[in-house]
């Protein structure tokens, strides 16, 4: 299940008693993609609900919907919810957000997946829209600090392999220990950076602090938000990288290009430009290549999205006319540039390095903004 903490994610609203149906109706109005689940015996009271489904047994219902929805909002006692969801709770990286509300809609309790699942943010959203009291117990939030996994989620940089560092850094933040944040992208005031100490290692900046890397205390830590393969700080004991997922590859290639050759060239090209393969989020090409096996396998290997553009979309982009023309490519695809033009579209003309051209393929690298 893809995590999505936005209020447009798939939301299940589960009522238990007849009294809770009116509460469900209020909650339904503030969630666009929601379904209200009502007990079959209360069907007559659910006439005013927009999207409703009926169930007869709560345990049976949860066996089918727990992993289907990004968010589950229960209108019932917390104890009932805990007993019924316990067998389905698996992992904080994949569990849905679980929120519990009372029948008078006084409280919204963030019960499960407060950070990565987004339950805390959803409770705050409900407080804003419905004037409920949000009940949030995660340590960082209680101590008015940000959380590393929440920041990673905002940056689309959540990684299963980073779970240990999330836990470690959140503990440090909650206990007021020094955590420095080094970022290769601009972080404006919309990001929750409470508790982090923003630093700039390479260049002095009036807005940022500069620290003595060699003078770090044993309880101080550096988190680096980066898309670079090598930063030069890897040997530090108290240093961890969070790989940003903000790199796009524009790909053009001959039909039936060897998958292994494309992968080899891409990895070498990324290394040459000091880009981490883990930071590739998207591969872009022309629609003509939507079934190209080598690109599909490359996207799967890099765990990246594969998007394609029609020739008309490429030609209508604001960058197309300024690009070097290639008649051979145009005769085949209908456009004079594939890799560079699609990388420019995806990155809004934020291109890194020169385009790779060899072995019947072209590769361009772009860095996307948020």
């Amino acid at each position: 299940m893809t995590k999505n903490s936005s209020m447009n994610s798939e939301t299940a609203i589960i009522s238990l008693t007849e009294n809770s149906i009116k509460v469900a109706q209020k909650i339904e109005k503030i969630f666009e993609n929601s379904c209200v689940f009502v007990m079959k015996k209360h069907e007559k009271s659910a006439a005013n609900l927009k999207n409703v489904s009926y169930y007869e047994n709560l345990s049976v219902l949860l066996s089918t919907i727990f992993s289907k929805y990004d968010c589950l909002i229960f209108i019932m006692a917390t104890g009932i919810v805990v007993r019924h969801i316990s067998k389905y709770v698996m992992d904080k990286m994949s569990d849905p957000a679980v929120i519990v509300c009372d029948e008078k809609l006084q409280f919204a309790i963030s019960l499960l997946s407060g950070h990565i699942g987004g339950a805390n943010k959803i409770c705050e959203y409900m407080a804003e829209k419905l004037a409920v009291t949000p009940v949030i117990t995660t340590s960082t939030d209680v101590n008015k600090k940000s959380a590393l996994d929440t920041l990673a989620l905002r940056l689309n940089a959540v990684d299963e392999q980073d779970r240990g560092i999330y836990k470690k850094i959140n503990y440090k933040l909650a206990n007021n220990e020094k955590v420095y944040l080094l970022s290769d992208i601009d972080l404006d005031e919309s990001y929750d950076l409470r508790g982090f100490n923003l630093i700039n290692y390479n260049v002095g900046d009036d807005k940022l602090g500069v620290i003595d890397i060699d003078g770090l205390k044993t309880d101080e830590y550096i988190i680096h938000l980066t898309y670079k393969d090598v930063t030069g700080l890897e040997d530090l004991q108290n240093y961890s990288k969070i790989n940003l997922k903000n790199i796009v590859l524009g790909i053009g290639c001959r039909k039936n290009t060897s998958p292994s050759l494309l992968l080899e060239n891409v990895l070498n090209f990324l290394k040459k430009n000091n880009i981490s393969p883990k930071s590739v989020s998207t591969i872009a090409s022309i629609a003509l290549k939507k079934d190209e096996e080598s690109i599909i396998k490359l996207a799967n290997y890099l765990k990246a999205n594969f998007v394609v553009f029609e020739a008309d979309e490429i030609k209508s982009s604001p960058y197309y006319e300024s690009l070097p023309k290639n008649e051979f490519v145009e005769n085949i695809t209908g456009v004079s540039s594939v890799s560079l033009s699609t990388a420019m579209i995806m990155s809004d003309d934020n291109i890194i390095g020169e385009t790779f051209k060899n072995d019947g393929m072209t590769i361009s690298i772009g860095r996307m903004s948020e």
Side-chain angles (χ1 to χ4, degrees), residues 19-203:
N19 288 336
S20 66
I21 295 174
K22 290 182 179 180
V23 172
Q25 186 177 4
K26 292 179 181 179
I27 297 174
E28 181 190 39
K29 289 179 180 178
I30 68 170
F31 290 93
E32 291 184 14
N33 301 316
S34 63
C35 180
V36 179
F37 292 87
V38 174
M39 291 201 78
K40 183 68 175 176
K41 64 183 178 181
H42 302 311
E43 184 174 354
K44 291 182 180 180
S45 300
N48 294 324
L49 293 168
K50 290 187 300 180
N51 187 15
V52 62
S53 183
Y54 300 99
Y55 71 96
E56 294 184 353
N57 181 284
L58 184 59
S59 294
V60 174
L61 174 67
L62 288 179
S63 70
T64 60
I65 71 169
F66 188 82
S67 60
K68 178 181 177 182
Y69 287 86
D70 296 321
C71 173
L72 287 82
I73 301 175
F74 293 85
I75 310 166
M76 60 192 74
T78 305
I80 296 174
V81 178
V82 170
R83 284 192 293 273
H84 279 80
I85 71 171
S86 60
K87 68 174 83 172
Y88 305 111
V89 175
M90 298 295 293
D91 191 287
K92 67 181 292 182
M93 305 293 287
S94 59
D95 289 333
V98 175
I99 291 123
V100 181
C101 297
D102 60 282
E103 288 187 0
K104 289 190 176 181
L105 202 54
Q106 298 176 100
F107 302 100
I109 303 169
S110 176
L111 188 66
L112 185 70
S113 283
H115 288 157
I116 293 177
N120 292 356
K121 292 293 183 185
I122 293 170
C123 284
E124 291 171 355
Y125 172 74
M126 292 177 69
E128 177 187 342
K129 297 294 183 180
L130 300 172
V132 301
T133 299
V135 180
I136 297 171
T137 58
T138 43
S139 182
T140 49
D141 296 87
V142 168
N143 288 282
K144 301 188 184 304
K145 301 290 176 62
S146 180
L148 183 57
D149 46 359
T150 302
L151 180 58
L153 182 66
R154 167 75 190 275
L155 292 165
N156 189 33
V158 171
D159 191 321
E160 166 74 25
Q161 295 180 345
D162 291 333
R163 60 165 63 242
I165 196 63
Y166 298 152
K167 182 177 180 180
K168 182 175 185 176
I169 295 305
N170 289 349
Y171 179 85
K172 286 180 172 293
L173 290 168
N175 284 279
N176 297 313
E177 294 182 22
K178 189 81 76 173
V179 178
Y180 296 102
L181 185 66
L182 177 61
S183 178
D184 290 350
I185 61 171
D186 292 331
L187 298 173
D188 61 32
E189 59 186 19
S190 68
Y191 289 88
D192 184 2
L193 303 177
R194 293 173 300 168
F196 288 106
N197 289 266
L198 219 56
I199 61 170
N200 184 0
Y201 175 59
N202 293 315
V203 182

Side-chain angles (χ1 to χ4, degrees), residues 90 119 154 208 356-357:
M90 298 295 293
R154 167 75 190 275
L208 304 176
F356 171 91
K357 298 178 182 180

Side-chain angles (χ1 to χ4, degrees), residues 176-242:
N176 297 313
E177 294 182 22
K178 189 81 76 173
V179 178
Y180 296 102
L181 185 66
L182 177 61
S183 178
D184 290 350
I185 61 171
D186 292 331
L187 298 173
D188 61 32
E189 59 186 19
S190 68
Y191 289 88
D192 184 2
L193 303 177
R194 293 173 300 168
F196 288 106
N197 289 266
L198 219 56
I199 61 170
N200 184 0
Y201 175 59
N202 293 315
V203 182
D205 190 318
D206 291 340
K207 299 177 186 176
L208 304 176
V210 180
I211 65 167
D212 176 11
I213 297 294
D214 296 324
L216 284 175
K217 298 178 181 178
T218 55
D219 62 343
E220 296 180 338
Y221 212 94
I222 295 177
I223 291 296
H224 193 170
L225 306 177
T226 184
Y227 52 88
K228 296 174 184 175
D229 191 34
V230 178
T231 66
L233 302 176
E234 285 85 357
D235 290 338
L236 290 174
Q237 275 191 323
N238 46 1
Y239 170 85
S240 292
K241 292 191 289 188
I242 299 296

Side-chain angles (χ1 to χ4, degrees), residues 282-285 289-292 295-296 299 304-308:
T282 306
I283 293 172
S285 191
K289 293 296 179 182
K290 64 182 176 62
D291 297 318
E292 188 69 41
I295 303 180
I296 294 171
N305 297 318
F306 179 28
V307 301
V308 295

